């Protein structure tokens, strides 16, 4: 694989500033952001007042712990525009969650917000090894989802030839990567697997594609999956993280030269890790729930937002800004099976070690009598169909040994597992609702 390390002189000075400089900037911006939220969003005024805190109480970064958390329910309660801190006329763009699990949550951006967003996404793409003149195949969905348009703005800002293909029509994805000479690809890791399948279906070798790097996010994926994708395409695979409530894609990104976790762009998004049970702030290095405070957003400032994503904070390496470890999963996706906590990524890790199984999977939860059972739906590769039974047993044994739970493995023929065109649905829960 080609060395794609960006040149030092192409980085923004703040990316390699000293920790003291970064902290000083954070403190100044945090004061402004708290005041902006308090003065302009009734929800924040009420929640700060109820907690007996005022923006003036923030004298150090640690003082942030005195302020109340914000949760998804707060956004729903203020649907659609109640969390906006500027008059609606100054909001140039809204995005929203799909609302499949309840009322959609709406976020908004002023012109300055869109500029800042493009700036942090450009930083991500540069950290991934792309440079002006590269061709980016952007297969994140365009629309209310922040993935497509969010990456798009940053790609244009960096000076990439941007192909706004969006998700779906997988045959055409392969054709345009090849015809347009895409050197970078932005897509969910699960959809990247569908694109790899389509290469095979067309009798093409993805290793011969023009791609040099893929930038994968919007859902959890493992280092084992990274190796699988890097091998399939003979390209780098790096992780991009973000969430609509904080901005969209572009909150954090891995550096292609280290691939050791995601540098958080801390000059705009201040991270904390808390104990999800007690809400107490944990020291760097400890695993817990990631919480973000926006430092520069105008339309939709967000204070101590509980992401429900589980990870830990680590010191900077390729950049001075701190890293977050690859997200293991969301607390919402944690399955408790007969007392053992399991994340889909733990099953993914084991699946990747079974050579005759394809990397696609889905977990099905059923209630059998009084017990819960988990079925792991997988499929063989086209040339390993006759090894299916053995492979299923191998996977069940590995899950038992490493994850510590007994599962049933259903091995299907190639194409048997539902494919994703965006975020994969990993868990199908058939258990009766309590
Ligand atoms: O998924 C934004 C995004 C688009 C990020 C494209 C990266 C690339 P939401 O739809 O609001 O926004 O979903 C946010 O997705 O809280 C995580 O649970 C999950 N997520 C996002 N990136 C990653 C990642 C976009 N790299 C939610 N690893 C977040 C693991 C991720 N989970």
């Amino acid at each position: 694989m080609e060395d794609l390390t960006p040149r030092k002189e192409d980085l923004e000075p703040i990316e390699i500033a000293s920790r003291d400089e970064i902290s000083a900037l954070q403190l100044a911006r945090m004061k402004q952001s708290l005041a902006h939220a308090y003065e302009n969003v009734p929800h924040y005024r009420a929640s700060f007042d109820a907690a007996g805190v005022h923006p003036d109480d923030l004298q150090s970064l640690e003082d942030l712990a005195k302020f109340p958390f914000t949760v998804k329910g707060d956004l729903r309660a203020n649907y659609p525009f109640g969390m906006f801190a500027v008059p609606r006329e100054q909001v140039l763009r809204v995005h929203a969650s799909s609302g499949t699990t309840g009322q959609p949550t709406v976020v908004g951006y002023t012109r300055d917000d869109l500029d800042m967003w493009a700036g942090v996404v450009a930083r991500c793409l540069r950290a991934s090894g792309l440079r002006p003149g590269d061709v980016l195949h952007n297969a994140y969905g365009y629309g209310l989802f922040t993935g497509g348009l969010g990456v798009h703005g940053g790609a244009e800002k960096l000076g990439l030839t941007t192909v706004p293909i969006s998700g779906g029509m997988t045959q055409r994805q392969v054709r345009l990567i090849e015809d347009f000479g895409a050197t970078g690809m932005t897509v969910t890791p699960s959809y990247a697997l569908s694109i790899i399948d389509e290469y095979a279906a067309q009798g093409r070798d993805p290793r011969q594609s023009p791609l040099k790097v893929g930038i994968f996010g919007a859902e959890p994926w493992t280092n084992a999956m990274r190796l699988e994708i890097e091998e399939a395409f003979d390209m780098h695979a790096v992780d991009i993280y973000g969430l609509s409530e904080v901005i969209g894609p572009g909150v954090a990104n891995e550096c292609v030269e280290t691939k050791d976790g995601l540098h958080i762009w801390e000059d705009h998004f201040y991270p904390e890790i808390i104990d999800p049970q007690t809400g107490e702030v944990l020291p760097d290095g400890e695993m817990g729930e990631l919480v973000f405070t926006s430092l520069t957003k105008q339309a939709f400032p967000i204070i101590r937002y509980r992401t429900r994503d589980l990870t830990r904070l680590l010191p900077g390496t390729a950049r001075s800004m701190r890293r977050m470890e690859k997200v293991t999963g969301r607390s919402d996706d944690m399955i408790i099976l007969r007392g053992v906590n399991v994340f889909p990524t733990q099953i993914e890790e084991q699946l990747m070690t079974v050579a005759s199984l394809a990397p696609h999977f889905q977990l099905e939860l059923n209630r059998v009598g009084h017990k819960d059972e988990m079925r792991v739906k997988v499929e063989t590769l086209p040339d390993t169909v006759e090894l299916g039974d053995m492979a299923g047993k191998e996977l069940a044994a590995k899950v038992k040994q490493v994850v510590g739970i007994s599962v049933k493995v259903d091995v299907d023929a190639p194409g048997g597992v539902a494919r994703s065109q965006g975020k994969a649905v990993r868990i199908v829960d058939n258990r009766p609702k309590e």
Side-chain angles (χ1 to χ4, degrees), residues 72 97 140 145-148 151 187-188 215-221 239-245 248-250 252 262 307-309 324 326-330 333 423:
K72 205 173 188 81
S97 68
Y140 286 121
F145 173 54
T146 51
V151 167
V187 63
T188 58
I215 302 152
F216 302 106
E219 62 186 10
W221 58 299
D239 198 350
I240 183 168
Y241 171 87
L243 64 165
S244 322
E245 295 85 341
L262 303 90
T307 64
R308 294 184 280 192
D309 292 325
M324 55 186 265
K326 242 175 165 336
V327 171
T328 328
R330 295 171 69 80
D333 284 347
K423 292 183 193 252

mmCIF file of all heavy atoms in Angstrom, residues 72 97 140 145-148 151 187-188 215-221 239-245 248-250 252 262 307-309 324 326-330 333 423, ligand 1:
data_model
loop_
_atom_site.group_PDB
_atom_site.id
_atom_site.type_symbol
_atom_site.label_atom_id
_atom_site.label_comp_id
_atom_site.label_asym_id
_atom_site.label_seq_id
_atom_site.Cartn_x
_atom_site.Cartn_y
_atom_site.Cartn_z
ATOM 1 N N LYS A 72 -30.897 12.531 24.241
ATOM 2 C CA LYS A 72 -31.719 12.536 23.031
ATOM 3 C C LYS A 72 -33.163 12.974 23.326
ATOM 4 O O LYS A 72 -33.772 13.691 22.528
ATOM 5 C CB LYS A 72 -31.710 11.139 22.402
ATOM 6 C CG LYS A 72 -31.995 11.174 20.923
ATOM 7 C CD LYS A 72 -31.819 9.814 20.273
ATOM 8 C CE LYS A 72 -31.927 9.912 18.777
ATOM 9 N NZ LYS A 72 -30.737 10.355 18.083
ATOM 10 N N SER A 97 -32.594 12.817 12.089
ATOM 11 C CA SER A 97 -32.484 11.359 12.179
ATOM 12 C C SER A 97 -33.710 10.754 11.500
ATOM 13 O O SER A 97 -34.709 11.438 11.290
ATOM 14 C CB SER A 97 -32.440 10.929 13.643
ATOM 15 O OG SER A 97 -33.693 11.182 14.234
ATOM 16 N N TYR A 140 -21.819 7.600 1.056
ATOM 17 C CA TYR A 140 -22.730 7.811 2.190
ATOM 18 C C TYR A 140 -24.031 8.397 1.633
ATOM 19 O O TYR A 140 -24.013 9.168 0.665
ATOM 20 C CB TYR A 140 -22.125 8.785 3.207
ATOM 21 C CG TYR A 140 -21.019 8.178 4.035
ATOM 22 C CD1 TYR A 140 -19.747 8.723 4.029
ATOM 23 C CD2 TYR A 140 -21.253 7.057 4.826
ATOM 24 C CE1 TYR A 140 -18.720 8.167 4.777
ATOM 25 C CE2 TYR A 140 -20.243 6.500 5.586
ATOM 26 C CZ TYR A 140 -18.987 7.051 5.557
ATOM 27 O OH TYR A 140 -17.985 6.496 6.302
ATOM 28 N N PHE A 145 -29.927 12.393 6.341
ATOM 29 C CA PHE A 145 -28.753 11.798 7.003
ATOM 30 C C PHE A 145 -27.548 12.721 6.758
ATOM 31 O O PHE A 145 -27.369 13.232 5.653
ATOM 32 C CB PHE A 145 -28.519 10.398 6.417
ATOM 33 C CG PHE A 145 -27.251 9.724 6.881
ATOM 34 C CD1 PHE A 145 -26.971 9.575 8.227
ATOM 35 C CD2 PHE A 145 -26.349 9.206 5.948
ATOM 36 C CE1 PHE A 145 -25.801 8.939 8.645
ATOM 37 C CE2 PHE A 145 -25.185 8.561 6.356
ATOM 38 C CZ PHE A 145 -24.914 8.435 7.707
ATOM 39 N N THR A 146 -26.728 12.908 7.792
ATOM 40 C CA THR A 146 -25.609 13.859 7.670
ATOM 41 C C THR A 146 -24.424 13.312 6.881
ATOM 42 O O THR A 146 -23.525 14.077 6.519
ATOM 43 C CB THR A 146 -25.079 14.251 9.072
ATOM 44 O OG1 THR A 146 -24.827 13.040 9.804
ATOM 45 C CG2 THR A 146 -26.047 15.135 9.826
ATOM 46 N N GLY A 147 -24.396 11.985 6.634
ATOM 47 C CA GLY A 147 -23.209 11.374 6.030
ATOM 48 C C GLY A 147 -22.850 11.936 4.656
ATOM 49 O O GLY A 147 -21.733 12.396 4.432
ATOM 50 N N GLY A 148 -23.809 11.889 3.726
ATOM 51 C CA GLY A 148 -23.523 12.270 2.336
ATOM 52 C C GLY A 148 -23.130 13.731 2.206
ATOM 53 O O GLY A 148 -22.021 14.065 1.774
ATOM 54 N N VAL A 151 -19.848 14.842 4.300
ATOM 55 C CA VAL A 151 -18.567 14.509 3.666
ATOM 56 C C VAL A 151 -18.372 15.354 2.417
ATOM 57 O O VAL A 151 -17.276 15.839 2.126
ATOM 58 C CB VAL A 151 -18.500 12.992 3.339
ATOM 59 C CG1 VAL A 151 -17.341 12.689 2.406
ATOM 60 C CG2 VAL A 151 -18.373 12.184 4.625
ATOM 61 N N VAL A 187 -17.809 5.483 2.782
ATOM 62 C CA VAL A 187 -18.958 4.578 2.783
ATOM 63 C C VAL A 187 -18.997 3.863 4.134
ATOM 64 O O VAL A 187 -17.985 3.804 4.836
ATOM 65 C CB VAL A 187 -18.799 3.570 1.604
ATOM 66 C CG1 VAL A 187 -17.573 2.703 1.758
ATOM 67 C CG2 VAL A 187 -20.032 2.696 1.414
ATOM 68 N N THR A 188 -20.154 3.303 4.492
ATOM 69 C CA THR A 188 -20.184 2.489 5.713
ATOM 70 C C THR A 188 -19.397 1.203 5.445
ATOM 71 O O THR A 188 -19.406 0.696 4.318
ATOM 72 C CB THR A 188 -21.622 2.106 6.123
ATOM 73 O OG1 THR A 188 -22.237 1.388 5.049
ATOM 74 C CG2 THR A 188 -22.460 3.318 6.466
ATOM 75 N N ILE A 215 -12.618 5.411 3.761
ATOM 76 C CA ILE A 215 -12.824 6.121 5.023
ATOM 77 C C ILE A 215 -14.194 5.689 5.536
ATOM 78 O O ILE A 215 -15.225 6.074 4.993
ATOM 79 C CB ILE A 215 -12.722 7.635 4.783
ATOM 80 C CG1 ILE A 215 -11.329 7.935 4.179
ATOM 81 C CG2 ILE A 215 -12.946 8.424 6.068
ATOM 82 C CD1 ILE A 215 -11.285 9.149 3.309
ATOM 83 N N PHE A 216 -14.158 4.829 6.556
ATOM 84 C CA PHE A 216 -15.364 4.091 6.941
ATOM 85 C C PHE A 216 -15.878 4.519 8.310
ATOM 86 O O PHE A 216 -15.110 4.632 9.252
ATOM 87 C CB PHE A 216 -15.047 2.597 6.984
ATOM 88 C CG PHE A 216 -14.531 2.075 5.672
ATOM 89 C CD1 PHE A 216 -13.184 1.764 5.511
ATOM 90 C CD2 PHE A 216 -15.389 1.918 4.596
ATOM 91 C CE1 PHE A 216 -12.707 1.295 4.299
ATOM 92 C CE2 PHE A 216 -14.921 1.444 3.375
ATOM 93 C CZ PHE A 216 -13.578 1.132 3.221
ATOM 94 N N GLY A 217 -17.190 4.707 8.403
ATOM 95 C CA GLY A 217 -17.776 5.059 9.694
ATOM 96 C C GLY A 217 -19.277 4.995 9.632
ATOM 97 O O GLY A 217 -19.846 4.361 8.744
ATOM 98 N N ALA A 218 -19.911 5.653 10.576
ATOM 99 C CA ALA A 218 -21.367 5.693 10.756
ATOM 100 C C ALA A 218 -21.903 4.451 11.458
ATOM 101 O O ALA A 218 -23.079 4.372 11.777
ATOM 102 C CB ALA A 218 -22.123 5.947 9.448
ATOM 103 N N GLU A 219 -21.035 3.459 11.690
ATOM 104 C CA GLU A 219 -21.430 2.253 12.424
ATOM 105 C C GLU A 219 -20.159 1.619 12.982
ATOM 106 O O GLU A 219 -19.068 1.851 12.454
ATOM 107 C CB GLU A 219 -22.160 1.275 11.494
ATOM 108 C CG GLU A 219 -21.298 0.787 10.337
ATOM 109 C CD GLU A 219 -22.058 -0.067 9.321
ATOM 110 O OE1 GLU A 219 -23.302 -0.137 9.395
ATOM 111 O OE2 GLU A 219 -21.400 -0.656 8.454
ATOM 112 N N PRO A 220 -20.299 0.808 14.029
ATOM 113 C CA PRO A 220 -19.103 0.174 14.597
ATOM 114 C C PRO A 220 -18.511 -0.862 13.646
ATOM 115 O O PRO A 220 -19.240 -1.535 12.928
ATOM 116 C CB PRO A 220 -19.631 -0.526 15.858
ATOM 117 C CG PRO A 220 -20.978 0.033 16.115
ATOM 118 C CD PRO A 220 -21.514 0.500 14.805
ATOM 119 N N TRP A 221 -17.210 -0.963 13.638
ATOM 120 C CA TRP A 221 -16.509 -1.996 12.858
ATOM 121 C C TRP A 221 -15.191 -2.277 13.550
ATOM 122 O O TRP A 221 -14.670 -1.437 14.274
ATOM 123 C CB TRP A 221 -16.332 -1.584 11.395
ATOM 124 C CG TRP A 221 -15.585 -0.304 11.139
ATOM 125 C CD1 TRP A 221 -15.936 0.946 11.567
ATOM 126 C CD2 TRP A 221 -14.371 -0.147 10.390
ATOM 127 N NE1 TRP A 221 -15.024 1.870 11.119
ATOM 128 C CE2 TRP A 221 -14.055 1.230 10.393
ATOM 129 C CE3 TRP A 221 -13.535 -1.032 9.700
ATOM 130 C CZ2 TRP A 221 -12.932 1.742 9.750
ATOM 131 C CZ3 TRP A 221 -12.420 -0.503 9.054
ATOM 132 C CH2 TRP A 221 -12.128 0.864 9.082
ATOM 133 N N ASP A 239 -10.865 5.004 10.012
ATOM 134 C CA ASP A 239 -12.142 5.150 10.704
ATOM 135 C C ASP A 239 -12.511 6.631 10.830
ATOM 136 O O ASP A 239 -11.675 7.448 11.226
ATOM 137 C CB ASP A 239 -11.982 4.522 12.111
ATOM 138 C CG ASP A 239 -13.307 4.197 12.771
ATOM 139 O OD1 ASP A 239 -14.359 4.609 12.258
ATOM 140 O OD2 ASP A 239 -13.279 3.517 13.823
ATOM 141 N N ILE A 240 -13.747 6.943 10.505
ATOM 142 C CA ILE A 240 -14.275 8.308 10.704
ATOM 143 C C ILE A 240 -15.478 8.218 11.626
ATOM 144 O O ILE A 240 -16.303 7.320 11.491
ATOM 145 C CB ILE A 240 -14.646 8.984 9.363
ATOM 146 C CG1 ILE A 240 -15.129 10.425 9.582
ATOM 147 C CG2 ILE A 240 -15.695 8.183 8.584
ATOM 148 C CD1 ILE A 240 -15.231 11.244 8.287
ATOM 149 N N TYR A 241 -15.560 9.152 12.583
ATOM 150 C CA TYR A 241 -16.640 9.108 13.567
ATOM 151 C C TYR A 241 -17.376 10.442 13.606
ATOM 152 O O TYR A 241 -16.768 11.505 13.393
ATOM 153 C CB TYR A 241 -16.058 8.821 14.960
ATOM 154 C CG TYR A 241 -17.048 8.959 16.100
ATOM 155 C CD1 TYR A 241 -17.853 7.892 16.480
ATOM 156 C CD2 TYR A 241 -17.188 10.171 16.782
ATOM 157 C CE1 TYR A 241 -18.774 8.024 17.513
ATOM 158 C CE2 TYR A 241 -18.105 10.310 17.813
ATOM 159 C CZ TYR A 241 -18.892 9.220 18.177
ATOM 160 O OH TYR A 241 -19.802 9.358 19.199
ATOM 161 N N GLY A 242 -18.635 10.367 13.915
ATOM 162 C CA GLY A 242 -19.386 11.589 14.158
ATOM 163 C C GLY A 242 -20.826 11.265 14.441
ATOM 164 O O GLY A 242 -21.255 10.122 14.298
ATOM 165 N N LEU A 243 -21.574 12.262 14.876
ATOM 166 C CA LEU A 243 -23.012 12.077 15.086
ATOM 167 C C LEU A 243 -23.708 13.390 14.810
ATOM 168 O O LEU A 243 -23.134 14.463 14.998
ATOM 169 C CB LEU A 243 -23.328 11.537 16.484
ATOM 170 C CG LEU A 243 -23.006 12.342 17.709
ATOM 171 C CD1 LEU A 243 -23.746 11.743 18.908
ATOM 172 C CD2 LEU A 243 -21.524 12.287 18.018
ATOM 173 N N SER A 244 -24.947 13.282 14.334
ATOM 174 C CA SER A 244 -25.692 14.467 13.897
ATOM 175 C C SER A 244 -25.753 15.519 14.984
ATOM 176 O O SER A 244 -25.582 16.704 14.709
ATOM 177 C CB SER A 244 -27.128 14.101 13.541
ATOM 178 O OG SER A 244 -27.186 12.868 12.919
ATOM 179 N N GLU A 245 -26.021 15.096 16.223
ATOM 180 C CA GLU A 245 -26.241 16.053 17.304
ATOM 181 C C GLU A 245 -24.997 16.910 17.553
ATOM 182 O O GLU A 245 -25.096 18.037 18.026
ATOM 183 C CB GLU A 245 -26.616 15.325 18.606
ATOM 184 C CG GLU A 245 -27.944 14.575 18.546
ATOM 185 C CD GLU A 245 -27.822 13.164 17.969
ATOM 186 O OE1 GLU A 245 -26.811 12.870 17.289
ATOM 187 O OE2 GLU A 245 -28.735 12.355 18.186
ATOM 188 N N GLY A 248 -22.229 15.789 12.735
ATOM 189 C CA GLY A 248 -22.325 14.830 11.630
ATOM 190 C C GLY A 248 -20.959 14.170 11.503
ATOM 191 O O GLY A 248 -20.182 14.186 12.470
ATOM 192 N N PRO A 249 -20.613 13.618 10.343
ATOM 193 C CA PRO A 249 -19.267 13.056 10.208
ATOM 194 C C PRO A 249 -18.251 14.180 10.403
ATOM 195 O O PRO A 249 -18.539 15.326 10.078
ATOM 196 C CB PRO A 249 -19.236 12.547 8.760
ATOM 197 C CG PRO A 249 -20.302 13.316 8.040
ATOM 198 C CD PRO A 249 -21.367 13.566 9.063
ATOM 199 N N GLY A 250 -17.068 13.836 10.963
ATOM 200 C CA GLY A 250 -16.044 14.866 11.076
ATOM 201 C C GLY A 250 -15.715 15.254 12.502
ATOM 202 O O GLY A 250 -14.961 16.193 12.737
ATOM 203 N N ALA A 252 -14.176 13.115 14.613
ATOM 204 C CA ALA A 252 -12.885 12.461 14.874
ATOM 205 C C ALA A 252 -12.528 11.573 13.693
ATOM 206 O O ALA A 252 -13.414 11.091 12.986
ATOM 207 C CB ALA A 252 -12.975 11.624 16.151
ATOM 208 N N LEU A 262 -8.997 7.280 16.831
ATOM 209 C CA LEU A 262 -9.439 8.469 16.093
ATOM 210 C C LEU A 262 -9.098 9.746 16.845
ATOM 211 O O LEU A 262 -9.504 9.919 18.000
ATOM 212 C CB LEU A 262 -10.958 8.399 15.863
ATOM 213 C CG LEU A 262 -11.449 7.164 15.124
ATOM 214 C CD1 LEU A 262 -11.775 6.037 16.107
ATOM 215 C CD2 LEU A 262 -12.682 7.465 14.300
ATOM 216 N N THR A 307 -23.649 10.529 24.175
ATOM 217 C CA THR A 307 -23.736 9.861 22.868
ATOM 218 C C THR A 307 -24.219 8.421 22.977
ATOM 219 O O THR A 307 -24.637 7.843 21.995
ATOM 220 C CB THR A 307 -22.351 9.802 22.202
ATOM 221 O OG1 THR A 307 -21.497 8.981 23.016
ATOM 222 C CG2 THR A 307 -21.743 11.181 22.034
ATOM 223 N N ARG A 308 -24.060 7.807 24.145
ATOM 224 C CA ARG A 308 -24.306 6.385 24.372
ATOM 225 C C ARG A 308 -23.262 5.494 23.700
ATOM 226 O O ARG A 308 -23.366 4.279 23.715
ATOM 227 C CB ARG A 308 -25.725 5.984 23.959
ATOM 228 C CG ARG A 308 -26.758 6.664 24.846
ATOM 229 C CD ARG A 308 -28.151 6.221 24.546
ATOM 230 N NE ARG A 308 -28.666 6.912 23.386
ATOM 231 C CZ ARG A 308 -29.948 6.895 23.025
ATOM 232 N NH1 ARG A 308 -30.819 6.203 23.711
ATOM 233 N NH2 ARG A 308 -30.354 7.569 21.978
ATOM 234 N N ASP A 309 -22.254 6.117 23.074
ATOM 235 C CA ASP A 309 -21.165 5.333 22.481
ATOM 236 C C ASP A 309 -20.118 5.041 23.548
ATOM 237 O O ASP A 309 -19.785 5.906 24.356
ATOM 238 C CB ASP A 309 -20.513 6.112 21.333
ATOM 239 C CG ASP A 309 -21.462 6.258 20.151
ATOM 240 O OD1 ASP A 309 -22.248 5.319 19.903
ATOM 241 O OD2 ASP A 309 -21.423 7.307 19.489
ATOM 242 N N MET A 324 -9.791 8.874 20.510
ATOM 243 C CA MET A 324 -10.762 7.952 21.105
ATOM 244 C C MET A 324 -10.514 6.595 20.474
ATOM 245 O O MET A 324 -10.181 6.496 19.297
ATOM 246 C CB MET A 324 -12.210 8.412 20.867
ATOM 247 C CG MET A 324 -12.576 8.657 19.415
ATOM 248 S SD MET A 324 -14.240 9.357 19.221
ATOM 249 C CE MET A 324 -15.161 7.845 18.933
ATOM 250 N N LYS A 326 -11.404 3.039 18.911
ATOM 251 C CA LYS A 326 -12.508 2.587 18.038
ATOM 252 C C LYS A 326 -13.730 2.270 18.911
ATOM 253 O O LYS A 326 -13.591 1.617 19.942
ATOM 254 C CB LYS A 326 -12.062 1.291 17.354
ATOM 255 C CG LYS A 326 -11.993 1.396 15.845
ATOM 256 C CD LYS A 326 -11.435 0.105 15.281
ATOM 257 C CE LYS A 326 -11.686 0.003 13.799
ATOM 258 N NZ LYS A 326 -12.782 0.762 13.229
ATOM 259 N N VAL A 327 -14.897 2.734 18.513
ATOM 260 C CA VAL A 327 -16.086 2.533 19.339
ATOM 261 C C VAL A 327 -16.487 1.053 19.333
ATOM 262 O O VAL A 327 -16.685 0.466 18.280
ATOM 263 C CB VAL A 327 -17.256 3.408 18.819
ATOM 264 C CG1 VAL A 327 -18.559 3.063 19.518
ATOM 265 C CG2 VAL A 327 -16.930 4.886 18.977
ATOM 266 N N THR A 328 -16.563 0.481 20.525
ATOM 267 C CA THR A 328 -16.925 -0.936 20.664
ATOM 268 C C THR A 328 -18.388 -1.145 20.320
ATOM 269 O O THR A 328 -18.785 -2.194 19.832
ATOM 270 C CB THR A 328 -16.786 -1.369 22.144
ATOM 271 O OG1 THR A 328 -15.730 -0.636 22.742
ATOM 272 C CG2 THR A 328 -16.567 -2.832 22.273
ATOM 273 N N GLY A 329 -19.197 -0.160 20.643
ATOM 274 C CA GLY A 329 -20.626 -0.287 20.385
ATOM 275 C C GLY A 329 -21.361 0.776 21.160
ATOM 276 O O GLY A 329 -20.759 1.528 21.924
ATOM 277 N N ARG A 330 -22.646 0.860 20.908
ATOM 278 C CA ARG A 330 -23.492 1.787 21.653
ATOM 279 C C ARG A 330 -24.099 1.026 22.805
ATOM 280 O O ARG A 330 -24.384 -0.167 22.672
ATOM 281 C CB ARG A 330 -24.655 2.252 20.787
ATOM 282 C CG ARG A 330 -24.289 3.053 19.610
ATOM 283 C CD ARG A 330 -25.519 3.235 18.745
ATOM 284 N NE ARG A 330 -26.495 4.105 19.387
ATOM 285 C CZ ARG A 330 -26.410 5.433 19.385
ATOM 286 N NH1 ARG A 330 -25.414 6.013 18.770
ATOM 287 N NH2 ARG A 330 -27.313 6.162 19.974
ATOM 288 N N ASP A 333 -26.952 -1.010 21.797
ATOM 289 C CA ASP A 333 -26.742 -2.252 21.042
ATOM 290 C C ASP A 333 -26.196 -3.362 21.916
ATOM 291 O O ASP A 333 -25.878 -4.441 21.423
ATOM 292 C CB ASP A 333 -25.740 -2.031 19.899
ATOM 293 C CG ASP A 333 -26.383 -1.283 18.744
ATOM 294 O OD1 ASP A 333 -27.614 -1.176 18.738
ATOM 295 O OD2 ASP A 333 -25.638 -0.819 17.873
ATOM 296 N N LYS A 423 -26.221 2.042 7.020
ATOM 297 C CA LYS A 423 -25.903 1.445 8.317
ATOM 298 C C LYS A 423 -26.496 0.036 8.357
ATOM 299 O O LYS A 423 -27.674 -0.149 8.074
ATOM 300 C CB LYS A 423 -26.532 2.272 9.437
ATOM 301 C CG LYS A 423 -25.902 3.649 9.607
ATOM 302 C CD LYS A 423 -26.548 4.358 10.790
ATOM 303 C CE LYS A 423 -26.199 5.830 10.830
ATOM 304 N NZ LYS A 423 -25.278 6.193 11.904
HETATM 305 O O1 LIG B 1 -23.592 8.362 11.422
HETATM 306 C C1 LIG B 1 -22.523 10.502 11.099
HETATM 307 C C2 LIG B 1 -21.493 9.854 10.249
HETATM 308 C C3 LIG B 1 -21.678 9.738 8.896
HETATM 309 C C4 LIG B 1 -20.302 9.407 10.804
HETATM 310 C C5 LIG B 1 -20.709 9.181 8.099
HETATM 311 C C6 LIG B 1 -19.315 8.854 10.032
HETATM 312 C C7 LIG B 1 -19.523 8.735 8.680
HETATM 313 P P1 LIG B 1 -25.808 9.590 13.042
HETATM 314 O O2 LIG B 1 -26.677 9.006 11.988
HETATM 315 O O3 LIG B 1 -26.349 10.657 13.918
HETATM 316 O O4 LIG B 1 -24.523 10.227 12.393
HETATM 317 O O5 LIG B 1 -25.298 8.380 13.922
HETATM 318 C C8 LIG B 1 -24.351 8.588 14.934
HETATM 319 O O6 LIG B 1 -23.431 6.370 14.637
HETATM 320 O O7 LIG B 1 -23.445 7.902 17.846
HETATM 321 C C9 LIG B 1 -22.366 6.033 16.701
HETATM 322 O O8 LIG B 1 -23.207 5.194 17.462
HETATM 323 C C10 LIG B 1 -22.412 5.595 15.256
HETATM 324 N N1 LIG B 1 -21.122 5.868 14.606
HETATM 325 C C11 LIG B 1 -20.795 6.883 13.800
HETATM 326 N N2 LIG B 1 -19.506 6.754 13.387
HETATM 327 C C12 LIG B 1 -19.021 5.629 13.962
HETATM 328 C C13 LIG B 1 -17.768 4.948 13.947
HETATM 329 C C14 LIG B 1 -23.584 9.561 11.630
HETATM 330 N N3 LIG B 1 -16.750 5.379 13.220
HETATM 331 C C15 LIG B 1 -23.989 7.283 15.593
HETATM 332 N N4 LIG B 1 -17.648 3.825 14.709
HETATM 333 C C16 LIG B 1 -22.920 7.450 16.629
HETATM 334 C C17 LIG B 1 -18.685 3.370 15.447
HETATM 335 C C18 LIG B 1 -20.056 5.074 14.754
HETATM 336 N N5 LIG B 1 -19.880 3.950 15.484
#
